[in-house]
Amino acid sequence: MLTFLVTFIGVLLLYLLLVLGSGEPGGTLGIYFAVEEIVAGVVLSLLAAVVSRMLLGKGENDVIGKPANIVVKPAIFIVYLFPFIIAMAFANIDVAFRVITGKIRPGIVRIKPRLRTNLARTVLANSITLTPGTLTVDVDDRTGDFFIHWIFVKDTRTDQEKMREVCGGFPEWARRVAE
Amino acid sequence: MDGVIIAMIVLIAISSFFIALGCIGLHRFPDVYTRLHAATKTTTFGMIFFSAAVILFGLWRFFEADEVNKGAYLTLIGHTLVALILLLITNPTGAHAIARAARRSGIKPEQAVIDEFEEVEP
C-alpha cells in the first residue's frame, strides 16, 4: 500500500513538472496548471501505480515500502547531491586532463562494497560511473561485487585501500541513501 | 539585464568546452572502455551547465514577460528539469550497459595493467 502511494506521488510530481505552465491567466490555478491537466495527471498516475505495484516493493530488501524511510531517505539523498556534484566536477577536470595529455593506465578491478539492496547498488554504480576515472562494468548479483574499469590504476595492497581509492566515501553514502 | 546574458554565455561556454573535450577523447583513447569514460562523464557534466543556462533564461524571461506569455517560459523550465533528471539517470546506466555488453562478449581492455574480471569469466 505504501509502495503504491509513493509511486503514485512520484509519478504525479513528474507529470506536474511536465505540464507546468499549462494554465490560462485568470484560471482557477492561475497560469501554473490547467485543471484538466491535473485530472488527467491523477488518472494516469493511478494507472501507473496500479501497473507497477506488481513489480516494485517485492522481497525483504524493499526500501520504498518501509514507513520510516519515506521522509528520511529523500532528505539524505538531497544532502548526498553536494559531495556528489563536487566529486563530479573533479571527475571532469580529471578526464579533461587525460584527454589532453593522453596519460592512461587502464585496468578492471574488483571491489567489495557489500551492499544488500538493488537500489543501493544502482545508486553506487551510477555514482561510480560519473566520478573520477572509474566506470562500472559489471555487478555480481549474488555477492554484490563490483567490477570497475579504472582509467589510471594506482597500486594498492588491501581491498579496503583499493575501495577508498576507487570510490571514496560513496559506499557509505549509498548505504545511507538506500538501505 | 546584461548580467544574465553574460552568465548564460559563461555557462554555455563551460558546457561546450567539456563536450568538445569529450568528442576529442572519443577519438584519442585506445579502446571502448576509455572512450566511454570520455563520452559519458563530459557529456553529463556539460549538459548540467547547458540546462542551467536554459533554466536561467527561462527564469529571466518569466519575470520580464507579460501575464499571457509567462506560461510558455514556465513550461520551458519544467521540461528542461525533466530532461536533466532523466539524463542524469540514463547516461551512466547506458554507459554501464555498453561496458558490460562489451566485456561479456570478450573485448579485453587495451593496455590494461590488471584485469580482475578475468578470474570470474575469462
Side-chain angles (χ1 to χ4, degrees):
Chain A
M1 189 59 212
L2 203 54
T3 312
F4 180 81
L5 216 63
V6 171
T7 321
F8 171 67
I9 292 169
V11 175
L12 187 59
L13 281 178
L14 199 64
Y15 186 86
L16 289 183
L17 209 52
L18 271 173
V19 299
L20 183 65
S22 59
E24 301 274 314
T28 355
L29 293 161
I31 53 164
Y32 299 101
F33 297 108
V35 178
E36 306 90 62
E37 293 284 9
I38 303 258
V39 174
V42 169
V43 172
L44 286 173
S45 316
L46 271 177
L47 207 65
V50 168
V51 172
S52 61
R53 199 184 42 163
M54 301 151 198
L55 304 170
L56 294 173
K58 296 280 162 178
E60 73 274 26
N61 284 340
D62 174 32
V63 185
I64 309 170
K66 294 203 181 80
N69 289 343
I70 296 263
V71 183
V72 180
K73 297 294 176 184
I76 297 174
F77 181 73
I78 288 166
V79 174
Y80 166 62
L81 284 180
F82 291 98
F84 175 68
I85 285 173
I86 292 169
M88 201 173 155
F90 278 116
N92 280 277
I93 293 163
D94 184 72
V95 168
F97 172 74
R98 307 229 172 273
V99 168
I100 293 165
T101 60
K103 231 174 113 185
I104 52 170
R105 190 167 176 259
I108 293 179
V109 295
R110 175 185 199 155
I111 62 164
K112 301 181 170 67
R114 299 185 203 291
L115 297 170
R116 280 178 295 110
T117 65
N118 283 335
L119 189 58
R121 285 174 188 170
T122 312
V123 168
L124 182 60
N126 280 5
S127 301
I128 284 173
T129 300
L130 287 175
T131 51
T134 46
L135 179 81
T136 315
V137 172
D138 208 343
V139 179
D140 191 325
D141 279 332
R142 209 165 31 78
T143 57
D145 290 356
F146 280 54
F147 295 94
I148 289 165
H149 184 270
W150 202 357
I151 205 165
F152 194 82
V153 178
K154 291 176 189 143
D155 291 317
T156 47
R157 289 189 197 83
T158 62
D159 274 359
Q160 214 63 31
E161 201 183 329
K162 186 159 65 185
M163 203 160 88
R164 275 237 88 79
E165 283 290 336
V166 170
C167 48
F170 285 136
E172 276 84 62
W173 276 108
R175 195 165 294 138
R176 273 175 230 151
V177 169
E179 240 174 41
Chain B
M1 273 310 115
D2 283 345
V4 180
I5 294 178
I6 292 171
M8 270 163 53
I9 291 174
V10 169
L11 286 173
I12 292 175
I14 294 173
S15 98
S16 311
F17 171 72
F18 278 112
I19 292 175
L21 272 180
C23 297
I24 298 169
L26 209 56
H27 288 280
R28 256 178 85 91
F29 283 150
D31 68 336
V32 58
Y33 306 103
T34 41
R35 281 177 179 168
L36 273 176
H37 276 283
T40 51
K41 284 189 238 295
T42 50
T43 49
T44 317
F45 200 59
M47 280 316 289
I48 289 178
F49 279 100
F50 205 90
S51 306
V54 174
I55 290 169
L56 193 65
F57 173 76
L59 279 174
W60 171 44
R61 299 299 295 171
F62 174 70
F63 288 115
E64 297 270 296
D66 305 329
E67 194 67 16
V68 190
N69 296 326
K70 273 186 195 287
Y73 295 112
L74 269 181
T75 311
L76 180 68
I77 296 170
H79 285 195
T80 314
L81 276 176
V82 172
L84 185 60
I85 294 168
L86 292 183
L87 204 78
L88 276 178
I89 300 170
T90 52
N91 221 342
T93 314
H96 171 56
I98 296 172
R100 181 183 152 102
R103 194 61 193 85
R104 296 225 157 183
S105 54
I107 300 173
K108 303 250 159 69
E110 261 174 53
Q111 307 172 9
V113 291
I114 185 170
D115 190 354
E116 290 178 351
F117 194 77
E118 199 80 355
E119 300 155 15
V120 190
E121 209 172 298

